[in-house]
C-alpha cells in the first residue's frame, strides 16, 4: 500500500500490482469478483472497478467476458518503489557585497508598473489567448518590429522576413534545423559562447577570427558558411567596427558566398555616439541575417528575440521551419507589440542609457580618484561595462579570486587590454546609484591589497 492520503482505489491497485509482479499471483490466476472483493475489503463497487480497470489499462490483468479478471502473462521481477534522491548539499554561498559581474537590469531604469499594465491588457485579449501562437511569431508584433528596426537600426525588411523566438539560442537552433548542411561558422570579434554551443550541438565546425589583429580581407574564410559578428560591439567595452571594415565584410560575403549573422546585442547603448546603422541595411546583396533581442533593452526575463532572414534563408524557413512551435509567450508578444507601437521602447532606451552612462561615469571617476596611480578605470563607448587596469604582479584571474573571497564579484578579461597590467571587466548594472561611492572605495581597497606599490 501507499500513503494514507492516497485514494482508496489506488491502494487496492498497488496491492494487486505488487502481488502480480512479485509472482505471488501467477499468470492465469483469477482475481476475486468485484462483488466478492467489495465484501472482503469493505469498499464500494466503484472503488474495486476503478482499481481493476487501472490494472487492466496497464496490462497487469485481462478481462474475459462472463468470466472475470485474470492475471496477464507477466514474468515476475524484483520491484522496489523508487526512493526520492537525497538533496545535493549546496555549496556555501559567499556573501557578495558588490556584484560587478551580474547581467541584471537596474530596477531604477525600468518602469514595472507600465509594463504590468501592458501585460494585463494582453491577458484581457481572451479570443487570441485561446489559440496557439503563430509559429513565426504574432503577425502584429512582426509588423511592429519591422517598423522599429527600420527607424532605429536602418534594417530593411518586411514582417514576413522576421522570425520571433524565446532568446537568441532558440533562434540559432531554428536556423541550424532549417539549414541542415554541416556548415562552418566563424565567430568574428567576441566569441559568443552560448551561440557556439548551439552550433556545436548541431555538428557545425567553429572557428574564431580576431578583429584586432587582422584586416577582414586577410581572414581565412575559404570554406566558411556563416560569419557571426556584433559590429556594434566588437570587444567587451563596446568599440564599433569602422564603416570601412563593415563594407569590406559585406563585399567578402558576396565574393565568398557566406552569410553574415549580425548580432545587434547592446547596439542601442551608445554613450557618446548615435547607434550606427546595421550591416543588414548596408548589404544590398542580401547576405546578412540580423538578430535582435530585448533582454537588455527591457528585461532579461522577457525571452523575446527575433531574426530577420535574407531571401535564401527565408525560403528554407518557409519550407522546413514552420513545423516548429513558437517558443515565446503569446501574452508577452501581444504586450510587447502594443508597448512598441505606443513609443515606450524608445523612451525606455533613453531612460536606461542615461542611467547607465551616469553610473559608469561616476564609478570610473571614483575608482580613479581612490585608486590614484595603482588602479585605472576606463569607460567604454557603449553598453554597461567598463574596464579596470591594475598595477599588480598577479594575473586577472588571481585578482578576481582574491576579490571574491572578500565579497566582491569581478570578471577577468580573457585577453588583457594591456600587455603589462592585468585587466578586469566590470558591470555597473547591479550597483545601486546611492552606493556607487561606497562600491568604488571597497573595490579599490580590495585591489590595493594586491597591487605593486
Amino acid at each position: 500500500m501507499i500513503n494514507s492520503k492516497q485514494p482508496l482505489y489506488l491502494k487496492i491497485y498497488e496491492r494487486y500490482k505488487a502481488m502480480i509482479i512479485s509472482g505471488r499471483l501467477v499468470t492465469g490466476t483469477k482475481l476475486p469478483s468485484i462483488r466478492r472483493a467489495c465484501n472482503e475489503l469493505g469498499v464500494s463497487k466503484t472503488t474495486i472497478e476503478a482499481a481493476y480497470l487501472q490494472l487492466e489499462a496497464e496490462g497487469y490483468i485481462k478481462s474475459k467476458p462472463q468470466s472475470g479478471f485474470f492475471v496477464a502473462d507477466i514474468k515476475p521481477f524484483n520491484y522496489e518503489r523508487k526512493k526520492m534522491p537525497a538533496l545535493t548539499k549546496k555549496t556555501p554561498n559567499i556573501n557578495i557585497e558588490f556584484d560587478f559581474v551580474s547581467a541584471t537590469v537596474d530596477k531604477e531604469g525600468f518602469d514595472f508598473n507600465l509594463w504590468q499594465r501592458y501585460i494585463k491588457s494582453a491577458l484581457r485579449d481572451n479570443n487570441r489567448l485561446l489559440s496557439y501562437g503563430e509559429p513565426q511569431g504574432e503577425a502584429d508584433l512582426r509588423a511592429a518590429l519591422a517598423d522599429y528596426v527600420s527607424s532605429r537600426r536602418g534594417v530593411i525588411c518586411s514582417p514576413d522576413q522576421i522570425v520571433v523566438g524565446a532568446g537568441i539560442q532558440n533562434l540559432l537552433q531554428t536556423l541550424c534545423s532549417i539549414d541542415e548542411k554541416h556548415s562552418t561558422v566563424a565567430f568574428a570579434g567576441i566569441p559568443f559562447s552560448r551561440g557556439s554551443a548551439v552550433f556545436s550541438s548541431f555538428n557545425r565546425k567553429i572557428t574564431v577570427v580576431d578583429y584586432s589583429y587582422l584586416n577582414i580581407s586577410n581572414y581565412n574564410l575559404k570554406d566558411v558558411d556563416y560569419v557571426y559578428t556584433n559590429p556594434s560591439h566588437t570587444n567587451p567595452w563596446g568599440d564599433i567596427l569602422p564603416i570601412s571594415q563593415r563594407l569590406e565584410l559585406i563585399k567578402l560575403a558576396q565574393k565568398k558566398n557566406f552569410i553574415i549573422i549580425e548580432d545587434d546585442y547592446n547596439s542601442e547603448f551608445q554613450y557618446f555616439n548615435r547607434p550606427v546603422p546595421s550591416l543588414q541595411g548596408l548589404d544590398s546583396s542580401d547576405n546578412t541575417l540580423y538578430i535582435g533581442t530585448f533582454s537588455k533593452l527591457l528585461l532579461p526575463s522577457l525571452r523575446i528575440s527575433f531574426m530577420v532572414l535574407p531571401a535564401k534563408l527565408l525560403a528554407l524557413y518557409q519550407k522546413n521551419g514552420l513545423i516548429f512551435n513558437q517558443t515565446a509567450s503569446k501574452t508577452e508578444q501581444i504586450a510587447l507589440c502594443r508597448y512598441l507601437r505606443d513609443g515606450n521602447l524608445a523612451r525606455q532606451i533613453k531612460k536606461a542609457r542615461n542611467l547607465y552612462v551616469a553610473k559608469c561615469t561616476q564609478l570610473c571617476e571614483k575608482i580613479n580618484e581612490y585608486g590614484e596611480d595603482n588602479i585605472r578605470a576606463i569607460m567604454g563607448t557603449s553598453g554597461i561595462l567598463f574596464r579596470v587596469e591594475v598595477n599588480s604582479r598577479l594575473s586577472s584571474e588571481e585578482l578576481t579570486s582574491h576579490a571574491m573571497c572578500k565579497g566582491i564579484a569581478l570578471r577577468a578579461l580573457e585577453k588583457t587590454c594591456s600587455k603589462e597590467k592585468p585587466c578586469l571587466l566590470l558591470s555597473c548594472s547591479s550597483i545601486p546609484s546611492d552606493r556607487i561611492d561606497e562600491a568604488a572605495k571597497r573595490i579599490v581597497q580590495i585591489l590595493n591589497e594586491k597591487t605593486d606599490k
Side-chain angles (χ1 to χ4, degrees):
M1 295 291 182
I2 312 181
N3 60 68
S4 59
K5 295 181 180 179
Q6 197 172 29
L8 194 54
Y9 85 92
L10 282 180
K11 291 183 179 182
I12 297 169
Y13 152 82
E14 286 285 349
R15 175 190 177 189
Y16 281 114
K17 183 176 77 170
M19 294 171 69
I20 292 169
I21 60 182
S22 66
R24 283 183 289 164
L25 288 179
V26 298
T27 301
T29 301
K30 183 179 179 181
L31 269 63
S33 67
I34 292 176
R35 180 179 296 178
R36 179 183 164 191
C38 290
N39 293 332
E40 289 180 353
L41 299 175
V43 296
S44 69
K45 178 181 177 183
T46 302
T47 300
I48 297 298
E49 285 179 338
Y52 280 12
L53 288 174
Q54 186 66 33
L55 289 166
E56 184 181 21
E58 295 185 21
Y60 290 106
I61 63 175
K62 291 183 178 180
S63 171
K64 294 182 179 180
Q66 309 301 321
S67 298
F69 292 93
F70 296 83
V71 176
D73 186 8
I74 297 176
K75 294 180 180 179
F77 61 93
N78 292 326
Y79 172 78
E80 291 184 7
R81 178 169 294 279
K82 284 186 178 180
K83 296 180 180 179
M84 186 71 76
L87 294 175
T88 305
K89 291 184 179 179
K90 293 184 178 179
T91 304
N93 290 328
I94 298 175
N95 183 26
I96 301 298
E97 184 180 3
F98 291 108
D99 184 358
F100 289 94
V101 176
S102 174
T104 58
V105 171
D106 193 321
K107 62 182 180 181
E108 297 177 46
F110 186 72
D111 189 339
F112 281 96
N113 291 330
L114 178 62
W115 178 246
Q116 287 168 1
R117 289 203 294 271
Y118 279 92
I119 289 291
K120 289 177 181 177
S121 174
L123 289 171
R124 289 193 292 268
D125 202 338
N126 297 341
N127 290 333
R128 288 184 68 176
L129 296 180
L130 289 172
S131 62
Y132 288 102
E134 297 181 40
Q136 196 168 337
E138 296 302 293
D140 53 352
L141 173 60
R142 289 187 283 114
L145 287 171
D147 291 340
Y148 173 79
V149 294
S150 173
S151 63
R152 298 284 300 193
R153 305 297 301 119
V155 173
I156 301 170
C157 69
S158 71
D160 291 339
Q161 290 176 260
I162 294 177
V163 178
V164 175
I168 291 178
Q169 282 187 304
N170 173 258
L171 294 174
L172 295 180
Q173 289 168 349
T174 300
L175 174 63
C176 291
S177 297
I178 63 173
D179 187 5
E180 297 177 347
K181 63 183 179 182
H182 294 291
S183 53
T184 297
V185 182
F187 282 84
I190 308 172
F192 176 36
S193 58
R194 289 184 175 86
S196 177
V198 172
F199 288 117
S200 296
S201 69
F202 281 85
N203 297 318
R204 273 41 170 188
K205 183 180 178 182
I206 306 298
T207 185
V208 178
V209 291
D210 195 326
Y211 281 132
S212 60
Y213 299 112
L214 297 172
N215 291 323
I216 290 175
S217 58
N218 295 330
Y219 286 176
N220 182 20
L221 301 175
K222 181 180 178 181
D223 299 317
V224 165
D225 300 286
Y226 293 95
V227 171
Y228 196 107
T229 182
N230 185 340
S232 298
H233 213 93
T234 61
N235 55 34
W237 46 91
D239 287 345
I240 298 168
L241 188 68
I243 185 63
S244 58
Q245 287 190 286
R246 288 169 175 254
L247 295 174
E248 195 174 349
L249 180 59
I250 290 170
K251 290 178 183 177
L252 199 61
Q254 186 176 13
K255 179 180 178 181
K256 295 186 178 292
N257 195 33
F258 61 75
I259 296 291
I260 301 167
I261 300 177
E262 179 184 11
D263 185 342
D264 210 27
Y265 178 76
N266 263 3
S267 65
E268 297 279 12
F269 288 111
Q270 292 290 328
Y271 289 156
F272 309 116
N273 308 293
R274 288 178 58 83
V276 295
S278 67
L279 274 176
Q280 194 270 0
L282 297 171
D283 184 7
S284 59
S285 57
D286 198 28
N287 286 315
T288 301
L289 183 159
Y290 177 92
I291 294 181
T293 182
F294 294 95
S295 295
K296 280 297 181 190
L297 300 182
L298 294 176
L299 294 170
S301 57
L302 179 64
R303 305 304 297 157
I304 297 182
S305 299
F306 62 97
M307 59 182 176
V308 179
L309 298 175
K312 62 184 75 175
L313 291 178
L314 179 60
L316 283 176
Y317 178 80
Q318 291 172 339
K319 180 181 178 182
N320 302 320
L322 291 171
I323 62 171
F324 299 108
N325 287 330
Q326 177 53 243
T327 52
S329 161
K330 188 172 185 178
T331 301
E332 291 182 340
Q333 288 187 66
I334 296 169
L336 179 59
C337 174
R338 295 168 182 174
Y339 188 89
L340 274 168
R341 285 181 170 173
D342 290 347
N344 288 300
L345 185 59
R347 289 189 284 272
Q348 163 62 24
I349 291 168
K350 183 178 180 181
K351 178 180 180 181
R353 189 163 53 210
N354 290 341
L355 173 66
Y356 290 135
V357 71
K359 288 172 65 174
C360 273
T361 301
Q362 190 178 355
L363 265 170
C364 287
E365 289 175 351
K366 290 296 182 181
I367 289 172
N368 288 333
E369 177 186 342
Y370 300 134
E372 299 177 342
D373 295 329
N374 288 317
I375 301 167
R376 178 169 171 255
I378 305 164
M379 278 280 288
T381 59
S382 67
I384 58 177
L385 304 173
F386 61 97
R387 63 189 191 273
V388 172
E389 295 179 359
V390 185
N391 288 329
S392 176
R393 287 188 294 267
L394 299 182
S395 67
S396 302
E397 289 76 11
E398 288 171 327
L399 287 174
T400 58
S401 295
H402 169 70
M404 181 61 75
C405 293
K406 301 286 186 174
I408 306 295
L410 305 175
R411 182 187 307 165
L413 276 173
E414 294 179 3
K415 295 182 179 180
T416 59
C417 45
S418 168
K419 293 182 179 179
E420 300 177 354
K421 301 175 183 177
C423 285
L424 308 170
L425 188 66
L426 277 62
S427 166
C428 69
S429 66
S430 65
I431 307 299
S433 297
D434 59 359
R435 298 192 69 191
I436 284 179
D437 186 73
E438 181 186 354
K441 285 180 179 178
R442 186 71 177 125
I443 189 175
V444 167
Q445 176 190 0
I446 297 300
L447 293 178
N448 265 332
E449 295 173 0
K450 298 293 180 180
T451 56
D452 299 328
K453 297 182 179 180

